[in-house]
Amino acid sequence: MRFCRENVYIRDQYTCQYCATKLPAKQLTLDHVVPASHNGPKNWTNVVSACRACNQKKANRTPRTANMPLLNEPKAPNWLPTLALEIGEDHVPPDWSPYLRLSTG
């Protein structure tokens, strides 16, 4: 799975990993657990979702030195996000129907 902002948010379930607040993506930031200024890498095991307030509060420190424990240890996901599509029966070719779970409104 590709490392990128949106996939980190998905992994962390759009939740700040410090205060447990669930937020829309536009209100989240990425936080380096070990700050980049301390040679912390930009990868799955060092980046988490954080609200702006927690990211600013933690600042240029580790969670331990900031006294802000993480909710979950960051790790690379071993899954792919699922994509849910809603398609009405009137938009599906009839020969596809046996292979799809169609919602009926």
Side-chain angles (χ1 to χ4, degrees), residues 46-59:
N46 193 52
V47 175
V48 295
S49 301
C51 68
R52 287 184 177 93
C54 286
N55 201 338
Q56 290 175 350
K57 180 180 174 184
K58 180 181 160 283

Side-chain angles (χ1 to χ4, degrees), residues 29-79:
T29 64
L30 294 181
D31 179 61
H32 286 78
V33 177
V34 175
S37 63
H38 296 135
N39 298 318
K42 187 175 185 177
N43 63 25
W44 286 112
T45 59
N46 193 52
V47 175
V48 295
S49 301
C51 68
R52 287 184 177 93
C54 286
N55 201 338
Q56 290 175 350
K57 180 180 174 184
K58 180 181 160 283
N60 197 27
R61 301 175 288 174
T62 65
R64 187 160 46 110
T65 58
N67 197 26
M68 296 175 68
L70 287 165
L71 293 175
N72 300 294
E73 192 67 29
K75 59 183 177 182
N78 58 2
W79 46 263

